[in-house]
Amino acid sequence: MEFLTLLFIFTTMHLCFLIWKKFDQRRDQECYILNYQCYKPSDERKLGSVQCGKIIGNNESIGLDECKFFLKAVVNSGIGEETYAPRNFIEGRTVNPTLEDGVEEMEEFCNDSITKLLNKSGISPSEIDILVVNVSLFSSVPSLTSRIINHYKMREDIKAYNLSGMGCSASLISLDVIQNIFKSEKNKYALLLTSESLSTNWYSGINRSMILANCLFRTGGCAILLTNKRSLKHKAILKLKCLVRTHHGARDDAHNCCSQKEDEQGKLGFYLAKDLPKAATRAFTDNLRVLSPKILPARELLRYMLMSLIKKVIKYFAPKSAARWFGTSSKSPVNFKTGVDHFVLHTGGKAVIDGIGMSLDLNDYDLEPARMSLHRFGNTSASSLWYVLGYMEAKKRLKKGERVLMISLGAGFKCNSCYWEVMRDVVVGDDRNNVWDDCIDYYPPHSLANPFMEKYGWINNIQDPSTFKLKLAEFLLTLK
């Protein structure tokens, strides 16, 4: 009897130990953001209306029709006057960039952002265990990760990952890489750098589907410090709750709608097809289908199931005209605000933001951070999410315990999303060195109208293509 009692006690203790060990391991697998630093280039790299006109004037391939299209695209893009461009754009060297232009652009971003991030975090470069860099349109030898390791003299056992070609959703892909490493290794620091190279990727041809990329993309980037150290939980800004990746690369239409390629004249550029919105909508819908059960409360899921059942009954018994009317809404049948407090949307363009907002039934307050980020910094590709988050932080919107949903879209075609918990309030006066600090009081502005039309609207009145370049040159001289 005593033996059975001892055996029972031993078995119970062992089972409790295994349960505790499993629980303890999960605590060490958490992914926290300790700090992040968005990149803001120097003022001489601002790309205002005048500078845009100079770039167009220096491009011999662009004619009157292309300029009118460029004008319309910029005016309707939602992008303001204070976005940034690479140095070679400002210096008038868009057509024949060099490898050095690309390297310089990336090194300026990396060195500035990493130094500021590590200084305000109190972390030494030698403490970094994992380094992940994503830049889609630029790849050098040695790689960007190797250049960073060399510059900061990081440890020889650092795990380095250099991602390219992953598009505007690469930021969350890099995050997924880090999260997976955190699940198998304890007490690690990870440094994530997300940016895009524009200096070597200006399109100088006349294909409108490729000119559009010139109008939307701007210089930007972000460095993010992450950890799974339980002891640093109180210092964290955000904790990752879940991440969902959707990839439609197996579908030819989705695969080809957003790609880097050469046009009919052999000029390299970034191609945005007309069926891109359709591919984006399909990927977005499939991603939300997987994400919803992970982040929404049970009552909202039950409401959705009940509404779906009612719809099926109505479609079966009601007249066809009534059934069609009942299912015409473009809004999501699920109320995401029951599980999400803040929406961080990819600033792919005004239409992208408005489209996601309409699908999720978001109001102007919800869309304001994305719209303002697009206006101030433009589409900075994979790093755009972090400028939106920075706006929320600068406006003191983020409160402890609130939930943040990030949604990004990118070439492939991909839709990636992740769900965060805010770990602490943003303290008023806290020196976070936010990229919005010097301009947040001016946002939102009274108007988001782009002055490009006000300055260059006269181009629409020109009918003779032969006089276009001459009149443009004369006009630019008057602006000096």
Side-chain angles (χ1 to χ4, degrees), residues 439-455:
C439 62
I440 193 63
D441 293 336
Y442 305 106
Y443 278 87
H446 296 298
S447 173
L448 295 179
N450 191 301
F452 210 84
M453 180 62 75
E454 180 182 338
K455 293 180 180 179

Side-chain angles (χ1 to χ4, degrees), residues 101-111 135 138 144 195-198 220:
D101 288 326
V103 172
E104 181 184 13
E105 179 188 18
M106 289 297 99
E107 287 186 343
E108 282 186 358
F109 151 64
C110 292
N111 296 343
V135 177
F138 181 76
L144 293 175
S195 185
E196 190 54 272
S197 174
L198 302 183

Side-chain angles (χ1 to χ4, degrees), residues 55 59 86 88-89 93-99 101-103 105-106 135-139 165 195-205 210-219 259-262 267-271 381:
I55 293 175
N59 193 333
N88 63 312
F89 285 22
R93 296 185 293 105
T94 58
V95 179
N96 296 306
T98 64
L99 175 63
D101 288 326
V103 172
E105 179 188 18
M106 289 297 99
V135 177
S136 290
L137 298 178
F138 181 76
S139 181
S195 185
E196 190 54 272
S197 174
L198 302 183
S199 57
T200 59
N201 289 285
W202 173 268
Y203 174 63
S204 58
M210 299 170 80
I211 290 176
L212 192 58
N214 291 345
C215 305
L216 295 176
F217 289 102
R218 297 292 188 271
T219 295
S259 61
Q260 185 184 29
K261 67 177 188 178
E262 295 177 342
K267 294 181 178 179
L268 186 65
F270 200 71
Y271 175 76
S381 189

Side-chain angles (χ1 to χ4, degrees), residues 3 38 83 85 174 178 235 267 289 357 367 442 479:
F3 173 76
C38 291
T83 58
S174 299
I178 292 172
K235 292 185 177 181
K267 294 181 178 179
R289 187 176 292 115
L367 298 178
Y442 305 106
L479 297 176

Side-chain angles (χ1 to χ4, degrees), residues 26 29-32 172 175-176 179-180 183 238-245 287-288 290-296 336 339-340 403-407 416-421:
R26 286 187 61 84
Q29 293 177 358
E30 300 287 4
C31 181
Y32 300 103
L172 300 190
L175 181 65
D176 192 32
Q179 178 191 220
N180 286 322
K183 289 180 179 179
L238 300 171
K239 179 173 77 171
L240 183 62
K241 304 293 287 183
C242 72
L243 190 151
V244 175
R245 293 170 57 179
N287 186 274
L288 292 185
V290 178
L291 179 71
S292 299
K294 298 176 182 289
I295 68 173
L296 295 179
F336 278 87
V340 181
R403 300 145 301 178
V404 179
L405 175 62
M406 286 184 172
I407 300 173
N416 300 322
S417 61
C418 64
Y419 188 63
W420 302 91
E421 178 186 348

Side-chain angles (χ1 to χ4, degrees), residues 345-357:
L345 309 180
H346 170 52
T347 59
K350 184 176 180 296
V352 173
I353 297 172
D354 292 345
I356 295 177

